[in-house]
Amino acid sequence: MVRIRVLVVDDHRIFAESLAAALAAEPDVDVSAAGSGPAALRSLERAAAEGRRFDVLLVDADLGGNVPGIRRPAVPVQEGGVDGVVDGISLVAGVRSAQPGVRVVVLAEKDDPRRAALALQAGAGGWVAKDCSLSRLLTVIRGVLRDETHLPPALLTGVLRELTAARRHRTESERLVESLTPREREVLRCMVAGLGRKAVAERLYLSPHTVRTHMQNVLGKLGVHSTLAAVALARRAGVGPADLGPTARLTPEESNSA
């Protein structure tokens, strides 16, 4: 019998233990529980090192006290693990980046098309109500292992609308980013990496005054009024953070065209 290894990630201990116990009663399911994002990542890494990878993660959408309508920034997975992943959606992205073979199902207190769309964009294969039946949950677990996507029927229209809007926003964001010069794009990538003006100046071998001018130009061309808004737009356009390694510099050709 092929056994399914499941990891329940929920910081509500009673719920996590009850769900784990219910799943453990199934003859083909092995289940463990973790109470936080960092603990889940450590469990995944340990299991992989021991050659017993998990197949499916069941992740609480509100992990870490995430508040609907307020998204914490996702923390990219770094070598050796991440202690910064605190909320459910960020954990989905982190796990899918670190171990693409692991399927993820998000467990939610209530239906929310916007957050369900974010979960799918992060790499989740399903969105399931916490109060669904055990048989329904098992159907979803087995379905995502077949690369199926599972959503409650009542959410489907709203999720499709959110994904369509996200694609439209991304296209517009990409157009705005393309209007930047190579130097301005490099400054923007430094902003996405969380660097302040002085750090950007040191990174790109520019004066703080020049960096300030570039940042003002970036905000103006993107049509935003703050660094946070510029970073959010950049992420929608698929702009990643600057490589903070010692070789991350513009080429002479890029410098001349900036």
Side-chain angles (χ1 to χ4, degrees):
M1 178 185 297
V2 177
R3 302 187 68 80
I4 302 171
R5 301 200 68 242
V6 176
L7 179 63
V8 178
V9 189
D10 196 307
D11 49 13
H12 296 84
R13 185 173 59 84
I14 295 177
F15 174 83
E17 291 178 352
S18 298
L19 179 57
L23 289 170
E26 296 296 312
D28 63 340
V29 177
D30 290 329
V31 61
S32 301
S36 69
L41 289 173
R42 289 192 292 270
S43 294
L44 287 168
E45 291 168 356
R46 186 165 54 250
E50 296 172 355
R52 49 180 188 87
R53 294 177 180 273
F54 284 99
D55 300 302
V56 179
L57 258 67
L58 303 179
V59 178
D60 179 16
D62 298 319
L63 187 69
N66 192 39
V67 179
I70 301 177
R71 288 191 66 208
R72 296 185 178 92
V75 181
V77 172
Q78 304 289 341
E79 186 176 354
V82 175
D83 285 342
V85 176
V86 292
D87 66 85
I89 305 302
S90 292
L91 180 61
V92 172
V95 168
R96 293 292 292 163
S97 174
Q99 296 192 25
V102 178
R103 305 301 192 268
V104 184
V105 175
V106 177
L107 305 175
E109 290 281 359
K110 62 179 182 179
D111 286 345
D112 185 330
R114 187 184 68 83
R115 298 185 72 210
L118 289 173
L120 294 184
Q121 288 175 308
W127 176 280
V128 181
K130 278 192 169 184
D131 60 358
C132 74
S133 66
L134 181 61
S135 62
R136 167 62 181 164
L137 181 57
L138 288 167
T139 296
V140 173
I141 288 173
R142 296 186 171 102
V144 297
L145 287 173
R146 297 190 296 268
D147 289 327
E148 298 172 358
T149 299
H150 285 258
L151 289 170
L155 269 185
L156 186 57
T157 299
V159 168
L160 290 175
R161 185 182 299 116
E162 292 287 339
L163 292 175
T164 300
R167 177 66 257 180
R168 185 166 57 248
H169 290 323
R170 180 181 175 91
T171 301
E172 174 63 14
S173 299
E174 289 170 344
R175 184 187 67 77
L176 291 171
V177 168
E178 287 172 359
S179 72
L180 304 179
T181 66
R183 177 65 84 183
E184 289 166 350
R185 284 197 290 273
E186 188 66 15
V187 169
L188 178 59
R189 292 180 65 229
C190 288
M191 293 163 66
V192 173
L195 300 183
R197 188 186 307 166
K198 181 179 178 181
V200 174
E202 293 175 351
R203 182 72 203 153
L204 300 181
Y205 303 95
L206 300 171
S207 71
H209 176 75
T210 300
V211 171
R212 179 174 181 273
T213 298
H214 281 313
M215 286 183 166
Q216 289 177 336
N217 289 340
V218 167
L219 297 185
K221 289 183 178 181
L222 297 184
V224 296
H225 302 288
S226 70
T227 297
L228 287 177
V231 168
L233 186 150
R235 288 193 178 279
R236 285 200 301 271
V239 176
D243 179 1
L244 300 184
T247 61
R249 297 181 58 186
L250 288 173
T251 64
E253 292 78 13
E254 288 176 320
S255 298
N256 291 335
S257 63

